[in-house]
Amino acid sequence: MKRNSIINFRLWLAFLLATTWCGSAMGSRLTFCQADSLLALRNHNLRSARLDISAAEGQLAQSSRYDNPTMSVMYNIYNPTNHRWFDPGRTGEVDVQFSQPFAIGGQHAEQVKQDAALLRASRNQLTVTHRDLRSEVHVAMVDLYYQQRQAAVYDEEIASAEKILAAYREQTAKGNIAAIETQRIATMVYQLRKSRADLLLEASALQAQLRQLLVLPADDSITVDIDEKEAIDAASRLYLAVAAKPAASIEAMPEMQLIGSQVEAAEHTLRWERSQSLPQMSVQGEYDKNGSIGHNFFAVGLSVAVPLWNRNRGNIRKAQAAIEQAAVDADRQRNAIMQQRKADLDIVGQYLKQLAEPTPTLDSDLTEMLHAAEKQFMSRHISLVEFVDLYGNYRDTMLARLDAKSKMLQAAERLRIVWGGVQ
């Protein structure tokens, strides 16, 4: 209980320091730093994983204790000498027996070592869980940030199209413009609004995911704060650093340490199961005040449970299979990590190249093109078909670039969190 209080105090202290350094976490904009502090303090999965460690510590403390002795006392029911019932007196019989089990061949030590390995596995599992949740939160934040950016693209295009639509409806009412042209623009505005609504529904789902992970109130609206230029520059540096790291560094990752602890626990389990095929032994002592052999009889002995019919072979075989299964899991996990590493490196590399190919001012050039198209169409210098085509090109290009940045930064966050600290 005292240890849990210390852990909770440290978590609160870390949260206060993080919020002081990062700024208030309950503001209108959420940064990675604020999300990390909220995650560490509030997330239910992390709190449960910490309780798993407490449970493993308790199990280790319990297995370190030795078996309690057994003591039994028996009185004679009827004393035939003085004809008294339940007589513990001078001529009555009192029989005291004592038994203390003791372990041989690792029956106790291997159990302690197994629980110690399981405790290390619980701690490694907390590290893995925390890291995976951080990655999930950061990826969702990047996705939400660019969903909101894409919604802003639709907002700008809708505002421009609605301005034109209002002017065309006025001219149509005066008979200066054909109604079919006005209807075409109205249809375009409707489609833009529909696409924006679909996008906002996806953003709402991401906000719900973040609120659940960070345990925020259900009515909180989340706006992600990301310095895009700095994030892309950091992703470029990270890409070069991770690509240069040797594959051997995978063994330092918490997943592999977790599996290593599980393998160690399985090995101790096998040794413990083998020790259970040895005799179960206990030291015995007895005192009998008025036994058949004489007064004040003392005796010591040894009790042995002979493994004649049950030699624990089934459990030994089961433990051997668990070790082999742990080795298979280690290979599978190692392969999965390397595949994910390569996939994320490819994503970051490809999108960094894609984003670097166009002119650096492409985003601002596209915005200027949108306003120019609006003016040209209003002055009748371009046709309706050309106007719709220009709007479509603007939207498709802007959304494609935002999607590329989103996928690249999501992969970069996975790389940074998973591989950034691996030396």
Side-chain angles (χ1 to χ4, degrees):
M1 192 70 180
K2 182 178 179 181
R3 182 181 179 88
N4 289 338
S5 299
I6 294 174
I7 292 174
N8 290 334
F9 172 75
R10 289 175 178 174
L11 288 172
W12 274 108
L13 181 60
F15 174 72
L16 291 175
L17 292 174
T19 51
T20 301
W21 180 262
C22 305
S24 174
M26 300 307 295
S28 59
R29 304 187 70 84
L30 182 68
T31 65
F32 287 144
C33 187
Q34 292 167 346
D36 289 343
S37 63
L38 287 170
L39 181 73
L41 181 66
R42 298 182 175 182
N43 184 265
H44 296 104
N45 290 338
L46 287 180
R47 292 165 63 185
S48 178
R50 294 187 189 102
L51 292 175
D52 286 340
I53 292 178
S54 297
E57 290 172 342
Q59 180 62 42
L60 176 59
Q62 181 63 38
S63 63
S64 300
R65 303 294 187 268
Y66 289 93
D67 292 334
N68 290 324
T70 301
M71 180 175 291
S72 61
V73 179
M74 299 183 67
Y75 293 92
N76 60 304
I77 297 176
Y78 178 74
N79 189 337
T81 302
N82 56 17
H83 307 288
R84 296 176 62 181
W85 294 87
F86 299 102
D87 178 23
R90 186 177 62 84
T91 61
E93 182 175 359
V94 178
D95 186 13
V96 181
Q97 297 181 359
F98 170 88
S99 177
Q100 173 62 61
F102 65 91
I104 62 172
Q107 291 172 336
H108 178 263
E110 292 301 331
Q111 180 69 52
V112 175
K113 292 177 182 178
Q114 174 193 350
D115 290 335
L118 291 175
L119 174 58
R120 289 190 291 273
S122 296
R123 289 170 176 161
N124 289 326
Q125 182 62 64
L126 174 62
T127 302
V128 172
T129 301
H130 189 191
R131 192 209 58 197
D132 289 347
L133 287 171
R134 279 190 68 213
S135 178
E136 184 179 353
V137 167
H138 286 214
V139 167
M141 288 176 66
V142 171
D143 198 2
L144 176 59
Y145 174 79
Y146 281 101
Q147 293 279 10
Q148 293 170 339
R149 288 280 303 276
Q150 290 177 357
V153 172
Y154 280 106
D155 288 339
E156 186 171 7
E157 192 171 2
I158 289 171
S160 176
E162 285 180 338
K163 187 191 303 181
I164 295 173
L165 179 60
Y168 262 57
R169 280 175 173 166
E170 182 180 349
Q171 294 299 317
T172 299
K174 295 178 181 179
N176 298 330
I177 295 178
I180 191 173
E181 292 189 12
T182 303
Q183 184 60 34
R184 179 65 181 90
I185 297 174
T187 301
M188 182 179 70
V189 171
Y190 173 80
Q191 292 172 344
L192 290 172
R193 287 175 177 169
K194 171 66 168 57
S195 298
R196 179 182 179 276
D198 293 339
L199 195 63
L200 290 178
L201 286 176
E202 296 179 15
S204 179
L206 287 170
Q207 290 194 50
Q209 178 185 356
L210 287 171
R211 283 194 294 267
Q212 181 176 359
L213 290 170
L214 304 179
V215 194
L216 296 173
D219 56 350
D220 268 15
S221 179
I222 300 174
T223 303
V224 179
D225 187 7
I226 296 178
D227 186 340
E228 184 179 81
K229 184 178 183 306
E230 172 58 29
I232 293 176
D233 291 342
S236 179
R237 295 191 298 268
L238 177 70
Y239 172 76
L240 297 175
V242 173
K245 284 184 179 179
S249 61
I250 189 176
E251 300 302 328
M253 299 186 68
E255 292 101 325
M256 303 312 299
Q257 294 179 5
L258 170 61
I259 292 178
S261 299
Q262 292 172 339
V263 170
E264 182 182 355
E267 291 172 347
H268 288 302
T269 300
L270 174 60
R271 296 190 187 104
W272 182 81
E273 293 291 357
R274 285 173 174 166
S275 72
Q276 297 306 297
S277 66
L278 300 175
Q280 306 294 316
M281 307 182 71
S282 61
V283 176
Q284 293 183 322
E286 182 178 1
Y287 165 71
D288 193 343
K289 187 174 71 170
N290 286 313
S292 60
I293 197 172
H295 297 293
N296 297 326
F297 169 74
F298 292 90
V300 294
L302 182 68
S303 173
V304 180
V306 181
L308 184 60
W309 315 118
N310 181 4
R311 303 189 63 181
N312 207 37
R313 290 177 178 174
N315 287 331
I316 292 174
R317 183 176 177 183
K318 178 181 176 182
Q320 289 173 333
I323 293 177
E324 295 174 5
Q325 188 176 40
V328 172
D329 290 342
D331 288 340
R332 176 186 56 78
Q333 186 67 61
R334 188 179 294 106
N335 182 65
I337 291 173
M338 294 305 297
Q339 293 295 334
Q340 185 63 53
R341 177 181 184 270
K342 184 179 185 305
D344 288 335
L345 279 173
D346 289 344
I347 291 172
V348 175
Q350 288 295 330
Y351 282 116
L352 280 174
K353 181 179 179 181
Q354 177 181 330
L355 293 171
E357 286 176 353
T359 172
T361 61
L362 178 61
D363 293 347
S364 59
D365 292 343
L366 287 170
T367 303
E368 291 177 4
M369 182 194 75
L370 178 69
H371 297 317
E374 177 187 331
K375 294 178 182 178
Q376 291 292 319
F377 182 63
M378 292 293 290
S379 60
R380 311 295 291 178
H381 290 157
I382 59 175
S383 66
L384 177 60
V385 174
E386 292 172 322
F387 170 73
V388 173
D389 185 59
L390 285 171
Y391 262 45
N393 287 337
Y394 164 79
R395 180 175 62 258
D396 292 344
T397 305
M398 289 295 290
L399 295 182
R401 283 181 61 77
L402 290 173
D403 184 64
K405 293 176 183 178
S406 176
K407 290 179 178 177
M408 187 271 293
L409 290 182
Q410 288 180 47
E413 282 302 306
R414 286 192 295 268
L415 284 176
R416 182 176 68 84
I417 293 173
V418 174
W419 292 92
V422 179
Q423 303 298 329

